[in-house]
Amino acid sequence: MTTTTRFIEVENLHKSYLLPESGRINVLNGVTFSLEAGSTLAITGHSGSGKSTLLTLLAGLDSADHGRIVINNAVLTDMDARSLHRFRTTHLGIVFQQFHLLPHLTAGENICLPLELQGRSCSPDIRHSLLARVGLTARSEHLPGQLSGGECQRVAIARALAVKPLLLLADEPTGNLDLTTGRDVADLLFTLVQQEQMTLIVVTHNQELAARCSRQLHLTHGVLQ
């Protein structure tokens, strides 16, 4: 009999925000799901449905009002800020829609940043290897302002891979790209996820991208369906 490993468990997750103009807004209302190691999951939903908020909680960048998040047997919702930071920087890779590259650092320097923040060495060989994996060996010394949108997202993906994460979180990774470039970036993303045997959660409104995942969940008014 074959058993499966629940790599991620989210139980009864709630999140709300207090807005000055409109009072308290409930964004997530009892979100519950589990995911096996090595799976790919797309979370879809309209703007304002809570997709990015859910990803932010999974990344340990914000705290839930109520509920439980377990990733690889680590209970994120029980961790203090320092423990969350340590877990995030050693086990998670995050790709944002807006790239979030530091404009004064070259592509190679941006890629190495996660390792350097951990006090780890980022040798020229490591930098070259990461650039090669995303097809940007000729762009190592280019600043983000000298790169196209697709190239910037490739740098962001390489940066996320630098720590060899167990889980890759992607928030609208093709949202700022044209159709052809977006498909190229999606091809790269799924190829790397398969090669590295990572678990992937991608938040997207792009149905074509969502369909490439092994599982899809739809978020409506803070509830997964």
Side-chain angles (χ1 to χ4, degrees):
M1 180 177 173
T2 302
T3 59
T4 57
T5 302
R6 287 187 174 182
F7 179 67
I8 297 174
E9 292 185 77
V10 176
E11 301 173 1
N12 197 28
L13 204 63
H14 289 259
K15 180 64 179 178
S16 63
Y17 294 101
L18 183 61
L19 302 180
E21 299 83 5
S22 50
R24 186 162 295 279
I25 302 296
N26 294 319
V27 181
L28 298 178
N29 298 294
V31 168
T32 296
F33 72 94
S34 62
L35 192 63
E36 298 166 12
S39 298
T40 55
L41 169 67
I43 298 174
T44 63
H46 298 297
S47 296
S49 62
K51 303 188 304 299
S52 293
T53 297
L54 176 56
L55 208 69
T56 299
L57 297 180
L58 291 171
L61 294 169
D62 198 359
S63 57
D65 298 338
H66 180 74
R68 193 165 182 259
I69 299 173
V70 182
I71 300 177
N72 196 34
N73 297 318
V75 185
L76 271 65
T77 39
D78 288 347
M79 291 182 183
D80 59 23
R82 179 175 295 183
S83 298
L84 273 174
H85 174 76
R86 186 182 306 114
F87 183 85
R88 182 171 61 250
T89 55
T90 55
H91 297 299
L92 305 182
I94 309 172
V95 179
F96 301 96
Q97 179 179 355
Q98 302 293 342
F99 317 137
H100 292 312
L101 303 179
L102 295 183
H104 61 285
L105 298 183
T106 66
E109 290 168 341
N110 267 287
I111 286 171
C112 285
L113 191 60
L115 294 176
E116 292 171 353
L117 290 175
Q118 293 181 28
R120 296 165 59 185
S121 172
C122 186
S123 68
D125 286 345
I126 292 175
R127 184 180 306 193
H128 179 82
S129 176
L130 288 166
L131 285 165
R133 301 205 66 186
V134 297
L136 289 178
T137 52
R139 296 288 189 268
S140 179
E141 300 305 316
H142 286 63
L143 296 170
Q146 298 170 315
L147 302 174
S148 68
E151 288 171 334
C152 284
Q153 194 60 295
R154 286 172 179 265
V155 171
I157 291 170
R159 179 184 59 189
L161 295 178
V163 299
K164 298 183 179 179
L166 301 173
L167 171 63
L168 185 63
L169 302 171
D171 189 2
E172 298 285 5
T174 62
N176 276 345
L177 306 175
D178 62 69
L179 182 61
T180 300
T181 304
R183 285 174 174 167
D184 289 343
V185 166
D187 288 343
L188 173 67
L189 187 66
F190 281 92
T191 296
L192 292 172
V193 165
Q194 184 177 35
Q195 288 175 348
E196 297 295 327
Q197 298 182 321
M198 291 183 291
T199 304
L200 170 68
I201 297 179
V202 57
V203 159
T204 184
H205 66 275
N206 184 328
Q207 293 300 317
E208 180 179 323
L209 177 61
R212 300 187 63 164
C213 292
S214 56
R215 184 180 174 196
Q216 298 92 42
L217 292 173
H218 189 76
L219 195 58
T220 303
H221 302 303
V223 178
L224 279 178
Q225 299 175 340

